[in-house]
């Protein structure tokens, strides 16, 4: 997945040693626009090489490509959003198109020609053909 936003916070770098050797990671918070209100997302960059290559700074506009996964620990589930690519975005460039929100089933019809004298009616009025009875039921 990809998301474009502005870096508003860089949390402290974490490091440690595992069976595979030393590791480093850092979490960043971006603010992005979805609909009318801004939203926030925390993502993790894992690995000293990626931290150095991405060189993320607070205030930058970035495009983050990430994977979402969850893991269980002591009976609780945690969601992990791990960035595998972070690119600087020109603030003057048009934003990357976000997926359009789904429209409600109750959304008004866009076609105004379907409106008749009774706009609350769900169907257009039936027109009686010449020579037909008003009662055209088959039984």
């Amino acid at each position: 997945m990809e998301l474009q936003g502005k870096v508003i916070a860089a949390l402290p770098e974490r490091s440690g040693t595992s069976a595979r050797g030393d590791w480093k990671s850092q979490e960043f918070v971006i603010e992005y626009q979805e609909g009318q209100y801004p939203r926030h997302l925390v993502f993790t960059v894992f690995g000293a090489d990626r931290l150095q290559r991405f060189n993320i700074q607070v205030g930058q506009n970035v495009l983050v490509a990430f994977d979402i996964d969850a893991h269980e620990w002591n009976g609780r589930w945690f969601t992990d959003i791990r960035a595998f690519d972070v690119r600087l975005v020109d603030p003057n460039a048009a934003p990357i198109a976000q997926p359009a929100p789904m429209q409600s089933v109750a959304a008004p019809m866009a076609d105004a020609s379907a409106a008749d004298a009774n706009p609350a009616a769900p169907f257009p009025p039936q027109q009686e053909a010449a020579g037909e009875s008003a009662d055209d039921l088959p039984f």
Side-chain angles (χ1 to χ4, degrees):
M1 296 182 75
E2 289 185 340
L3 197 63
Q4 182 177 327
K6 182 178 182 178
V7 179
I8 61 169
L11 303 177
E13 192 176 278
R14 297 181 309 182
S15 61
T17 303
S18 69
R20 296 183 195 172
D22 294 338
W23 58 268
K24 283 187 180 181
S25 73
Q26 189 171 7
E27 293 180 326
F28 300 90
V29 181
I30 61 170
E31 181 177 79
Y32 64 97
Q33 195 70 31
E34 181 179 312
Q36 184 177 1
Y37 302 105
R39 305 262 184 189
H40 299 94
L41 176 83
V42 177
F43 66 92
T44 304
V45 176
F46 192 84
D49 57 332
R50 286 187 177 156
L51 284 169
Q52 184 178 18
R53 183 178 46 181
F54 299 157
N55 191 26
I56 302 167
Q57 304 295 319
V58 173
Q60 290 177 327
N61 286 316
V62 293
L63 177 65
V64 181
F66 56 90
D67 289 323
I68 301 175
D69 195 16
H71 63 278
E72 184 267 337
W73 185 71
N74 287 342
R76 293 190 60 195
W77 283 88
F78 299 89
T79 301
D80 185 32
I81 300 174
R82 189 170 290 186
F84 58 85
D85 191 23
V86 179
R87 297 182 187 171
L88 285 176
V89 175
D90 181 9
N92 299 325
I96 300 295
Q98 299 295 330
M102 293 181 60
Q103 292 186 2
S104 169
V105 173
M109 293 178 17
D111 185 6
S113 66
D116 61 342
N118 184 2
F123 302 104
Q126 294 283 332
Q127 302 227 346
E128 195 171 310
E132 278 190 17
S133 156
D135 183 14
D136 62 346
L137 296 175
F139 48 89

